[in-house]
Amino acid sequence: MEDIRLIEKLVQARGMSGFENEVLTVAREYCKDFARMEEDSMRNLYIFPSYNKGNRPLVMLDAHSDEVGFMVQAIKPDGTLRFIPVGSWSEMSLPSAKVQVYTEKGYISGVIAATPPHLLPAAQRNTPPTYASLSIDIGASSAEEAQAYGVKIGAPVVPLSLFEYDAAHGILHGKAFDDRLGVAALLKTLKLLQNQKLAVDVVGVISSQEEVGDRGIKAAMYNVKPAAAICLEGCPADDTCSPAYMVQDALRGGVMLRHMDATVICTPGFIKFTQEAAAAESIKVQMAVRAGGGNNGAAIINSNGGTPVIVAGIPVRYIHSFNCIAAMEDFNANVDLSVAVVKRLTEDIIKSF
């Protein structure tokens, strides 16, 4: 249950883009006995395991700490809060959802409010909601009262969701699986690599602000110049919304290896090497080609003259929503594959990519 406790702590941490501190606190506690850590001003956390020797190729494991959220834009005269999205959301999913709003006294609960259908003219009852028509209600009745609660313009807002683990079926429920599952996989991989004979050094980068344009990893790549990188992600599962022949990221399908998306074509030689490692260790993988989407892999491969990268995804149903679903066996497969790849990498192999 140690892994479940780690995942729960990471998932329940509040860490909208730019405000990832709580996530890093969990990571620091987990790694304190086997790694040295540094942090930059963008809230990127660099984890240097004690088993590194120096003068060997440096392999980076990356996962982003931030989650999609919202930011308070204004306080309305009636005490409700005007807000804007941070990261991509579907407005259709927002009305009646519970949220947590930051104040200097701590986070407080709110609900994303829309005008009830009883009070809407018939012509507007089927009109899709927009951010202009929604607000966050914290229970205040005036702007002054909302301010007395401690709410300020610029306050981060994140979902208020219940974390659950269905042990009988190995299913995880909760918010922010993109990318807290990747962060958990990164941390466990770093820990397990203590027991492996390695030909490379390893750095873990828990990067910030991925959801708003891969900003943190761009800064991190200036500070860390890895020879190769594995991008660990929570990726949108498609097994409930695609025809069978198009399903490429299914729950319980294992690790999703992404060939390309709208922002990156991952390194073909590195992908082939990873497939061979998976086959040798009997680890389930599934291959994906996406027309949309994006992740830190694009910033990694375009940095420092070109850095070989693979994207190893954990399938997540209902990504970028208040309630995600994932399978523990896919998380375990991601960890197993990350360990298998790193322990097989050598300087010559990396140069061959």
Side-chain angles (χ1 to χ4, degrees), residues 133-151:
S133 68
L134 298 171
S135 61
I136 294 173
D137 193 334
I138 57 172
S141 298
S142 68
E144 292 75 18
E145 188 177 357
Q147 290 165 351
Y149 281 33
V151 176

Side-chain angles (χ1 to χ4, degrees), residues 10-23 65-72 81 83-87 89 94 97-103 106-112 136 138 154-162 174-176 178 180 211 320-323:
L10 290 167
V11 166
Q12 293 295 81
R14 294 160 293 207
M16 188 194 82
S17 303
F19 297 85
E20 300 93 346
N21 304 57
E22 288 188 12
V23 185
S65 56
D66 60 318
E67 63 185 296
V68 291
F70 311 95
M71 183 173 280
V72 175
L81 313 176
F83 66 98
I84 62 170
V86 178
W89 289 91
L94 299 183
K98 293 208 68 175
V99 295
Q100 305 173 78
V101 183
Y102 176 80
T103 77
Y107 280 85
I108 61 173
S109 295
V111 62
I112 297 180
I136 294 173
I138 57 172
V157 180
V158 296
L160 178 57
S161 304
L162 179 67
K175 72 171 181 69
D178 173 16
R180 305 293 165 67
E211 298 293 359
H320 285 207
S321 78
F322 283 71
N323 295 285

Side-chain angles (χ1 to χ4, degrees), residues 237-252:
D238 54 8
D239 53 339
T240 60
C241 55
S242 297
Y245 77 94
M246 279 295 291
V247 172
Q248 299 183 333
D249 193 21
L251 212 68
R252 297 193 174 92

Side-chain angles (χ1 to χ4, degrees), residues 244-281:
Y245 77 94
M246 279 295 291
V247 172
Q248 299 183 333
D249 193 21
L251 212 68
R252 297 193 174 92
V255 183
M256 183 220 68
L257 288 177
R258 184 173 294 189
H259 284 277
M260 70 167 289
D261 58 35
T263 65
V264 65
I265 297 174
C266 294
T267 309
F270 201 173
I271 293 174
K272 183 175 183 292
F273 174 83
T274 303
Q275 288 176 292
E276 292 169 351
E281 300 277 352

Side-chain angles (χ1 to χ4, degrees), residues 2-3 6 29-35 47 49-51 61 183-196 198 202 335 339:
E2 179 185 354
D3 293 347
L6 172 63
E29 177 63 24
Y30 185 86
C31 296
K32 65 181 182 180
D33 294 330
F34 66 87
I47 305 169
S50 56
Y51 48 81
L61 303 178
V183 173
L186 181 155
L187 295 174
K188 186 175 181 185
T189 298
L190 290 177
K191 190 172 185 178
L192 291 176
L193 287 172
Q194 294 178 103
N195 303 317
Q196 301 293 330
L198 303 178
V202 184
V335 173
V339 171

